Amino acid sequence: MFKRSLIAALILVPAIGFAADNTPGAKGHRAGSHFSKADTDGDGKLSRAEVEKAMPYLLSKFDSIDTNKDGQLSRGELSAWKKAHKGERQAKAAERFKHADADGDGAISRAEAEKYAPRLARKFDLIDSNKDGKLTQDELRAYRESKRSRKDKV
């Protein structure tokens, strides 16, 4: 379970933290797209059940995100919460990167990825843009941005 959390943090959390446009409903914005997919009834808000099904990692934070206490999350509430907690997410991502970088050299080797981040290891060659056998935070960020730009074109 920790390994899955590590991968999610290395790939997903920084993607949200480094997103260029955090405005509600931003076209092509990953969180906006995820919001739309989670909003199964199409009412523009997320019920607790929709969050539980599509974004279970937010369920424990539901009440703090729901600032108007209407029992639903709007894009604006979710966006404001993400903006307010951006630094925390980046700090957690940095902590997880540091954990995967067992030798402390500022990069994740293939062996470190295989041991501490197997899902990352499966994409290692795609992410290792300079083919030096190590993943840096810059390479991870570039990979996330390229994935995001490909989704924007679809």
Side-chain angles (χ1 to χ4, degrees), residues 1-149:
M1 189 64 176
F2 177 76
K3 289 179 183 179
R4 283 187 182 185
S5 297
L6 174 64
I7 295 304
L10 287 173
I11 294 173
L12 299 177
V13 173
I16 295 168
F18 293 111
D21 186 358
N22 285 330
T23 58
K27 219 173 195 183
H29 183 259
R30 189 159 202 241
S33 168
H34 199 174
F35 187 99
S36 296
K37 288 178 185 175
D39 183 18
T40 56
D41 63 8
D43 68 352
K45 295 183 179 182
L46 300 180
S47 67
R48 192 175 296 272
E50 288 170 323
V51 169
E52 184 174 13
K53 185 174 182 181
M55 302 176 177
Y57 52 91
L58 290 179
L59 197 55
S60 65
K61 301 163 183 68
F62 189 96
D63 291 329
S64 65
I65 299 169
D66 181 19
T67 55
N68 67 1
K69 305 301 178 200
D70 67 352
Q72 298 186 32
L73 303 183
S74 67
R75 287 181 189 269
E77 286 172 324
L78 191 56
S79 179
W81 180 83
K82 286 181 179 182
K83 186 176 180 179
H85 293 85
K86 180 179 177 179
E88 292 172 28
R89 291 190 313 276
Q90 289 174 335
K92 285 180 183 180
E95 181 182 318
R96 289 182 175 114
F97 184 93
K98 185 177 177 181
H99 174 76
D101 178 20
D103 64 7
D105 68 350
I108 300 172
S109 68
R110 185 178 301 276
E112 289 169 328
E114 288 171 356
K115 184 172 183 178
Y116 299 106
R119 288 179 59 198
L120 185 63
R122 288 191 290 263
K123 298 176 183 179
F124 195 95
D125 292 327
L126 291 171
I127 301 169
D128 185 16
S129 59
N130 64 1
K131 306 302 179 203
D132 67 351
K134 294 185 176 202
L135 303 180
T136 64
Q137 289 188 12
D138 288 340
E139 286 174 316
L140 288 166
R141 186 176 300 114
Y143 175 73
R144 286 188 305 271
E145 289 171 2
S146 72
K147 277 184 66 174
R148 188 169 40 248
S149 70

